[in-house]
Amino acid sequence: AQSNTWVDTVDCNPWITTLLVNLSIASGAKTSVSLKGEIVGPGIQGNIYGFDTNMVKLFELMVDGRYLAPQAVFSMLVDTPMSLDLAAGWAPTLHVGTLKEWLDVSGSENIVASSNGKSWYCDKLREGIVIRPYDEEMTYPGLGRLILKVRSPEYLAKTDS
């Protein structure tokens, strides 16, 4: 174990603290490990998925200022005690492959149509989808990273969001 691992635990869930320490050790981080996620559950944005408790759904990991691709995160943690917890806490991956393959699998003609559908969590409409490269791409100066978030028109029509 690393003796120089530091985690800011102010208002931090113990599960997140343990996860950050494990990620820091597994990744060999020299300066920092950052997680990004969304808090979901009762009292949060109408709890559209009907969760019984509040939880964090993680979707991104940065080590030493560099974003890691999702498959790198999972392969890095396969042998750690947190691997099953991480899989449960990570936002679902609906497809790994080319965009054309996703459109074929989803039976959709375009990206907007493919954003419609049932949630991974329950029998309700999903908010939409996020499309990102399998391997983390470079950051485009002035624009940022290559990530596409598509909100479902069906979801938006039903929720007036």
Side-chain angles (χ1 to χ4, degrees), residues 38 45 48-49 91-95 102 111-121 124-131 148-157 159 161:
E38 181 177 9
Q45 296 181 351
I48 63 166
Y49 299 117
T93 298
L94 301 178
H95 179 77
W102 163 247
I111 295 170
V112 173
S114 73
S115 70
N116 295 318
K118 295 290 182 190
S119 167
W120 177 269
Y121 301 115
K124 294 184 179 181
L125 291 175
R126 64 175 166 242
E127 288 182 75
I129 58 174
V130 175
I131 301 169
L148 201 65
K149 182 174 183 175
V150 184
R151 301 286 307 269
S152 163
E154 290 177 1
Y155 171 83
L156 292 172
T159 61
S161 295

Side-chain angles (χ1 to χ4, degrees), residues 38-55:
E38 181 177 9
I39 299 172
V40 294
I44 300 170
Q45 296 181 351
N47 192 20
I48 63 166
Y49 299 117
F51 292 126
D52 294 332
T53 60
N54 289 342
M55 61 187 88

